[in-house]
Amino acid sequence: MSSSNENIVLSAIGTRTVLNLLCKLLFRFLHFFLNALIFRQIDGNIIGIANVRLQLLYTTILFLSREAFRRTVPKLTDIRSVQLYINLIWSIVPVGLSIISLSLPFILFINTDNAEKYPYYYHACFFYAFAAFIEILSEPFYLLATVTLNYHINIYIEMFASTIGFTLQAFLIYKNSESALYYYGFGYIIYSLLITLSYYIYFLTRQNGERHRLFLITSFKDLLIRPTSPYVDYKLFSETKTFFYQGIWMKILTEGERYIMSIFNLVSYKDQGIFDTINNLGSLLPRLIFSTLEESAYAYFQQTLQRTKTINDEHIQDDEMLVKPRKDEQINEVPPSPTEQQTIRLNALTFYNYLLRFVIITSLLVITFGIPYSRFLLNLYGGSNLIEGPGPLLLRLYCIYILFLAINGITEAFAQATMSIKQLEDYKYLIMKFAATYLVLFYILIKSIGIHGIIIANCLNMLARIITNSLHIYRYFHGIQWSKPYQFSSSYLILLSLTSFICYYSESWFSNSFIHFGFGSILGLGILFFTWKEEKEMIHYIYCILRLNRKKKHS
């Protein structure tokens, strides 16, 4: 990829990052307040059933059905035939139906722990599965818009559907708390219908030229599967298959605690509901920012860097097509010169270092203020239901877990985008070993120390993945500046520790909780100002990257 193409990609990804972040912020805060409203109205067991057991069904179907396709979105210049790509992405439907047929009976009948005694449990199970299937039908448009770098379409549609769907869901649950499970599922159906219909209506209302620019097709007829030879792009098919199998284990590693809780009933539904609430509260702002940066980082590294070459790799590497171009076809893109390749590589290293340092600093600030104010935040959000149980300690542990999440997200985005196909295959088997170890460790910890073992097991799991990803990055850059993001001045670390200590013990100094919180806010502003002075170069660089050539794109 040439430097000019790199700037175009970077511009689109920067715009996507800003839009995605703003839209997610609005939605998360809306969802945050809606959940607080519901939490005070309904039984804690129902929250555990809906937000852990049934939500797990929904996310499992969607993740396993579509994540592999999203991980292998090709570059626009690499698509030899749009029809081959369309034939491939429609395979998401049989994959989704297969996953539904395997997972739905389990949720309905196996180890339910008396969940069926709550009204409308069976209805809710079918609603969640049906909602996931409806959303799968929108995926071809999502992928085609991603190929053309028109990320804003996906972001706006998701924001629109989330706002309407989940607001309606919360309102119906609030008004009909005795039928909460029914309306939990019904809300997801509304949400998925809005997403799918929005894509089809948006496509239908565009002119042919604009349709091609946005989605590479001009009519619904072009979206149909056709028998071609070859039927699909076999390189993309191979990569998708690799990411699918790897995704199974990634899902276990990401939400293994929920699977264990659902299969073995180690934790009551009420405690599951508390854990889910802590998870949502703890990840409200930091994880929101991190997930947006991770998506953008992966897209940038995948679009600009070449995958590592390995001697024994039998697959085609470095963005070469498995199906060779015909003699009569022209290759429009000129391969970058060695100097350009080196420049792109160094730019990627700088971007990676600054992104990683940014998320580490954000995580340290969360730890500094999150631990002393955990009890206050839980009382403000859910009242005595949250502060009388394991909630405060869970949230404090979660603040530490956020640091591991942040580092793993950026390192894994780079590793996944630059590993060769052979390395991805090896990584898949390594992930399987991590998953097996993690599940055993999780079971032991939750049996010995209770629900707090969930967070500790997750921290250890993330640490193993961080070490693995960092080794790949060290080799990729030959050790150049790989540890720079982890280096902080001793004065900065001492200041953070002292601030956290003062905030923790200031609760006994002030009888009014809000004065206690205001005191911490003043300290927080001071820390932010000090951080700005220390990290001005990093913040300025990331800001420029996100805005790079934005005007050029619209000119």
Side-chain angles (χ1 to χ4, degrees), residues 6-25:
E6 180 198 8
N7 288 341
I8 294 172
V9 172
L10 200 55
S11 172
I13 292 172
T15 303
R16 162 193 165 174
T17 303
V18 174
L19 286 175
N20 204 6
L21 183 57
L22 291 176
C23 290
K24 282 187 175 181
L25 276 172

Side-chain angles (χ1 to χ4, degrees), residues 54-82:
L54 297 182
Q55 181 75 10
L56 187 62
L57 170 67
Y58 178 79
T59 57
T60 298
I61 294 169
L62 286 180
F63 185 90
L64 295 183
S65 299
R66 71 189 186 188
E67 186 65 17
F69 294 91
R70 293 187 174 188
R71 283 287 183 178
T72 52
V73 173
K75 301 175 185 177
L76 184 59
T77 54
D78 282 353
I79 294 188
R80 177 172 173 265
S81 168
V82 177

Side-chain angles (χ1 to χ4, degrees), residues 210-222:
E210 190 177 7
R211 289 176 185 175
H212 187 270
R213 180 178 66 83
L214 298 175
F215 300 104
L216 297 178
I217 57 175
T218 57
S219 68
F220 285 121
K221 185 178 179 181
D222 296 333

Side-chain angles (χ1 to χ4, degrees), residues 122-358:
Y122 293 122
H123 294 78
C125 291
F126 283 106
F127 283 175
Y128 273 79
F130 184 52
F133 178 73
I134 294 173
E135 193 170 340
I136 284 172
L137 298 178
S138 70
E139 194 64 15
F141 281 116
Y142 177 97
L143 294 173
L144 290 173
T146 304
V147 169
T148 59
L149 303 181
N150 288 291
Y151 304 112
H152 63 281
I153 298 173
N154 304 330
I155 295 169
Y156 288 146
I157 288 178
E158 183 179 355
M159 182 61 189
F160 166 73
S162 299
T163 303
I164 302 299
F166 292 123
T167 300
L168 180 61
Q169 179 196 62
F171 176 78
L172 291 172
I173 293 172
Y174 183 79
K175 291 292 185 180
N176 305 275
S177 56
E178 71 284 351
S179 307
L181 283 178
Y182 184 91
Y183 290 108
Y184 263 115
F186 182 74
Y188 271 96
I189 289 180
I190 297 298
Y191 164 74
S192 58
L193 276 173
L194 287 172
I195 283 185
T196 303
L197 290 176
S198 294
Y199 273 109
Y200 284 85
I201 293 172
Y202 182 83
F203 179 80
L204 190 64
T205 55
R206 304 298 102 183
Q207 297 295 327
N208 283 349
E210 190 177 7
R211 289 176 185 175
H212 187 270
R213 180 178 66 83
L214 298 175
F215 300 104
L216 297 178
I217 57 175
T218 57
S219 68
F220 285 121
K221 185 178 179 181
D222 296 333
L223 199 62
L224 298 177
I225 298 174
R226 294 177 185 173
T228 57
S229 182
Y231 181 70
V232 296
D233 180 333
Y234 290 112
K235 174 183 180 290
L236 280 177
F237 175 75
S238 177
E239 288 186 8
T240 303
K241 186 172 65 172
T242 298
F243 274 109
F244 175 77
Y245 291 125
Q246 183 176 305
I248 295 175
W249 296 102
M250 292 290 289
K251 186 65 176 173
I252 294 174
L253 281 170
T254 304
E255 295 191 302
E257 71 277 357
R258 296 173 185 260
Y259 289 106
I260 294 293
M261 287 190 292
S262 296
I263 293 172
F264 296 105
N265 300 322
L266 296 176
V267 181
S268 68
Y269 285 125
K270 185 174 182 178
D271 281 350
Q272 289 183 33
I274 292 175
F275 169 76
D276 181 74
T277 303
I278 298 297
N279 183 65
N280 291 331
L281 184 61
S283 63
L284 179 63
L285 184 61
R287 200 172 181 185
L288 167 64
I289 296 174
F290 299 158
S291 64
T292 304
L293 291 177
E294 289 161 19
E295 292 170 8
S296 299
Y298 178 82
Y300 169 65
F301 294 137
Q302 185 203 36
Q303 293 283 342
T304 58
L305 294 177
Q306 296 178 337
R307 291 194 179 276
T308 307
K309 289 184 179 181
T310 55
I311 297 175
N312 297 324
D313 195 347
E314 297 177 357
H315 297 276
I316 302 300
Q317 303 148 356
D318 294 340
D319 307 321
E320 299 172 8
M321 298 297 291
L322 186 68
V323 181
K324 300 288 185 183
R326 299 190 303 270
K327 292 182 179 180
D328 59 338
E329 288 186 312
Q330 294 182 355
I331 304 300
N332 296 324
E333 186 176 12
V334 178
S337 66
T339 303
E340 288 180 323
Q341 287 181 354
Q342 183 66 14
T343 301
I344 292 171
R345 200 177 179 95
L346 290 175
N347 287 342
L349 173 60
T350 303
F351 189 45
Y352 164 78
N353 279 337
Y354 278 139
L355 271 184
L356 184 56
R357 188 171 183 84
F358 177 78

